[in-house]
């Protein structure tokens, strides 16, 4: 009751409508074609974005979780992927693995560094010089993670590296294998970071509108709507309300 007293008339209307939606009985069926079996949950607003939004925009996540049969689920995933690619271009937030591949210089430097350490003095002198050039052609980013510990356990290899004159500041990063990256999560975080608070509601509604436009769902719950409330209003003493004010 105290929370409702704090709301504007517009917020109160949205809250009451939201309350009605969440207490209504919902049928277990595909919201697109009406299939009554073999359905899966589908996030109308992809979680790779939602998880990075403020708590107020996460709390009504269940409104945007619907049931789809396998065939409609595949159609929805394909449509969502196209929209994600559009967002990747709009917000300069890479989504595909190819966009995260190291440069040719970095790839050659790491391959050369590994060869020098692994094969050491067994490599012909002229070949060592070419490998050295490959390593030095790459400049690690400031603060790049470097290999810890000795560059090699073999004294002759360490002596060879000293003779080649490759700085450890280059050699150590070159010996670090680039770890696999959670590309989708990084993309979602990058997009969310570029949204203002005003943009967030439109962003969520945009995904709802896209879902309706592409899938043409004929069996959505009666009170489901693209313009339904996107943000939860926390009471004045809520820890989430305090956390967002501090942030």
């Amino acid at each position: 009751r105290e929370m409702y007293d704090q709301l504007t008339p517009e917020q109160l209307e949205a809250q009451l409508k939201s309350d009605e939606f969440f207490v209504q009985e919902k049928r277990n069926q595909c919201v697109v074609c009406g299939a009554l079996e073999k359905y899966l949950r589908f996030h109308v607003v992809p979680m790779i974005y939602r998880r990075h939004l403020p708590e107020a925009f996460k709390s009504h996540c269940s409104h945007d979780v619907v049931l789809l049969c396998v065939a409609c689920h595949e159609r929805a995933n394909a449509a969502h992927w196209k929209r994600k690619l559009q967002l990747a271009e709009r917000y300069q937030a890479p989504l595909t693995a190819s966009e995260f591949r190291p440069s040719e210089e970095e790839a050659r430097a790491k391959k050369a560094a590994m060869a020098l350490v692994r094969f050491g003095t067994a490599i012909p002198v002229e070949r060592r010089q070419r490998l050295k050039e490959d390593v030095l052609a790459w400049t690690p980013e400031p603060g790049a993670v470097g290999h810890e510990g000795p560059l090699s356990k073999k004294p002759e290899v360490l002596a060879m590296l000293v003779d080649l004159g490759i700085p450890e500041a280059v050699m150590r990063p070159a010996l670090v294998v680039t770890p696999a990256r959670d590309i989708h999560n990084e993309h979602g975080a990058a997009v969310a970071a570029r949204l203002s608070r005003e943009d967030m509601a439109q962003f969520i509604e945009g995904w709802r509108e896209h879902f309706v436009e592409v899938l043409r769902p004929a069996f959505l719950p009666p009170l489901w709507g693209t313009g339904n409330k996107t943000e939860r209003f926390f009471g004045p003493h809520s820890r989430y309300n305090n956390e967002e004010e501090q942030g």
Side-chain angles (χ1 to χ4, degrees):
R1 177 63 184 178
E2 181 183 0
M3 184 192 77
Y4 284 6
D5 291 340
Q6 304 292 323
L7 303 180
T8 66
E10 293 77 13
Q11 290 175 335
L12 180 59
E13 181 181 357
Q15 182 64 51
L16 293 175
K17 183 178 180 181
S18 175
D19 292 344
E20 290 181 36
F21 172 81
F22 287 110
V23 299
Q24 72 176 334
E25 184 177 352
K26 302 177 184 67
R27 192 174 186 186
N28 290 331
Q29 66 180 148
C30 173
V31 301
V32 174
C33 69
L36 297 174
E37 58 183 13
K38 296 182 179 178
Y39 41 74
L40 305 166
R41 289 188 175 189
F42 182 79
H43 290 266
V44 175
V45 182
M47 284 303 296
I48 62 171
Y49 307 112
R50 177 91 75 168
R51 69 166 60 101
H52 297 292
L53 298 179
E55 190 64 33
F57 292 93
K58 298 178 186 176
S59 298
H60 282 70
C61 180
S62 59
H63 173 278
D64 299 315
V65 179
V66 297
L67 296 179
L68 298 178
C69 68
V70 174
C72 290
H73 200 280
E74 290 180 357
R75 285 178 55 210
N77 275 331
H80 267 39
W81 178 250
K82 291 181 180 179
R83 184 173 174 83
K84 288 176 185 176
L85 290 176
Q86 293 171 354
L87 292 174
E89 183 175 356
R90 181 188 308 172
Y91 293 102
Q92 295 299 296
L95 183 61
T96 58
S98 61
E99 296 175 80
F100 282 114
R101 289 174 183 164
S103 65
E104 292 184 9
E105 291 79 9
E106 180 180 353
R108 282 199 300 269
K110 293 196 171 189
K111 183 177 180 179
M114 291 294 183
L116 287 169
V117 169
R118 183 177 180 184
F119 299 107
T121 54
I123 303 173
V125 175
E126 290 185 3
R127 175 62 178 159
R128 292 182 211 171
Q129 289 298 321
R130 289 197 295 272
L131 292 174
K132 169 189 172 180
E133 291 172 2
D134 284 344
V135 174
L136 294 179
W138 173 60
T139 303
E141 295 181 2
V145 176
H147 171 77
E148 297 181 358
L151 296 178
S152 174
K153 295 181 179 180
K154 299 179 180 179
E156 64 274 19
V157 173
L158 292 175
M160 180 198 71
L161 294 175
V162 170
D163 290 341
L164 287 173
I166 304 175
E168 287 198 25
V170 175
M171 192 66 180
R172 288 188 180 278
L175 289 173
V176 174
V177 177
T178 304
R181 299 173 69 169
D182 188 346
I183 298 172
H184 281 208
N185 188 58
E186 290 186 23
H187 162 80
V191 171
R194 288 167 172 75
L195 300 175
S196 68
R197 196 172 188 92
E198 291 72 25
D199 292 336
M200 292 175 187
Q202 296 178 4
F203 183 77
I204 291 173
E205 290 177 1
W207 276 104
R208 293 172 178 174
E209 292 167 358
H210 175 259
F211 176 77
V212 171
E213 180 181 347
V214 174
L215 276 298
R216 302 291 181 185
F219 299 89
L220 283 166
L223 297 177
W224 194 96
T226 58
N228 280 3
K229 190 159 73 89
T230 58
E231 180 179 4
R232 178 177 177 180
F233 308 115
F234 295 112
H237 304 299
S238 168
R239 69 183 180 90
Y240 294 121
N241 193 45
N242 294 333
E243 285 174 2
E244 293 192 10
E245 286 181 356
Q246 293 171 5

